[in-house]
Amino acid sequence: AQKITQTQPGMFVQEKEAVTLDCTYDTSDPSYGLFWYKQPSSGEMIFLIYQGSYDQQNATEGRYSLNFQKARKSANLVISASQLGDSAMYFCAMIPGDSNYQLIWGAGTKLIIKP
Amino acid sequence: SAVISQKPSRDICQRGTSLTIQCQVDSQVTMMFWYRQQPGQSLTLIATANQGSEATYESGFVIDKFPISRPNLTFSTLTVSNMSPEDSSIYLCSVVAVRETQYFGPGTRLLVL
């Protein structure tokens, strides 16, 4: 079965510290895409970062990086130097190779940055 | 990436009524989707909005309850019909822009009383 698992329902982190949000996935497709989205309390779903299954290097976008460990089927999001504005829900999602763009979503992690 | 707007941003409606949500994209896109996010949940795909043809609905969603229009490649509407309190959710549209990445509109927060 194709599935995304986020085991951290909530996290508290001190401002300026680095944060790692866990995501593991399950698929038998050799080709897939992995995504992280941020959802602030306003409700908007903001795309953060993408990793393709055949990408040789871990994806990075500014303060966001994706720690992609293919053999372990994990795609953890790392946020460096956290800021108060990083407080939000974070969702990991996957597109399996044959999905016709239907995303499979994790349950999300609520991140709260403490001043 | 694409710039997506939705109207209304939020609404409070009475049960039994209908609400139409609009989604406007700043560029032509082929793939456009409608999602529902119930309180405390992740997103559930309602349907794929197809330009010039009927939408493709996911299991558990029917056209009579969630009629969708897609008159062109930049615009779509989702109607939530005969609403009940269980329809209280955030409704989001999304489009595929770059490298299979979906970009989302700001969402419509709906409360049904």
Side-chain angles (χ1 to χ4, degrees), chain B residues 11 16 22 41 44 61 65 79 91 95-96:
Chain B
D11 208 340
Q22 299 179 5
Q41 305 294 314
T44 301
F61 297 96
K65 175 67 176 176
T79 299
Y91 292 86
V95 302
V96 176

Side-chain angles (χ1 to χ4, degrees), chain B:
Chain B
S1 67
V3 177
I4 307 167
S5 60
Q6 280 185 237
K7 291 181 182 179
S9 59
R10 58 177 63 230
D11 208 340
I12 301 173
C13 300
Q14 297 297 318
R15 68 173 67 207
T17 63
S18 298
L19 176 72
T20 296
I21 303 167
Q22 299 179 5
C23 179
Q24 179 77 52
V25 189
D26 68 340
S27 58
Q28 293 186 340
V29 293
T30 303
M31 307 292 289
M32 184 180 282
F33 305 93
W34 286 99
Y35 287 86
R36 180 176 74 181
Q37 185 181 26
Q38 295 176 302
Q41 305 294 314
S42 63
L43 276 67
T44 301
L45 181 64
I46 297 172
T48 302
N50 301 310
Q51 193 266 329
S53 64
E54 196 170 282
T56 305
Y57 289 85
E58 298 300 311
S59 176
F61 297 96
V62 295
I63 188 171
D64 290 345
K65 175 67 176 176
F66 297 101
I68 288 171
S69 76
R70 178 93 191 268
N72 56 54
L73 292 176
T74 64
F75 185 79
S76 178
T77 66
L78 168 74
T79 299
V80 186
S81 303
N82 188 25
M83 288 184 286
S84 67
E86 292 70 34
D87 293 318
S88 298
S89 297
I90 298 174
Y91 292 86
L92 299 110
C93 66
S94 75
V95 302
V96 176
V98 176
R99 209 184 172 190
E100 72 185 347
T101 299
Q102 288 190 31
Y103 292 89
F104 288 82
T108 296
R109 196 180 292 266
L110 172 62
L111 176 63
V112 184
L113 302 177

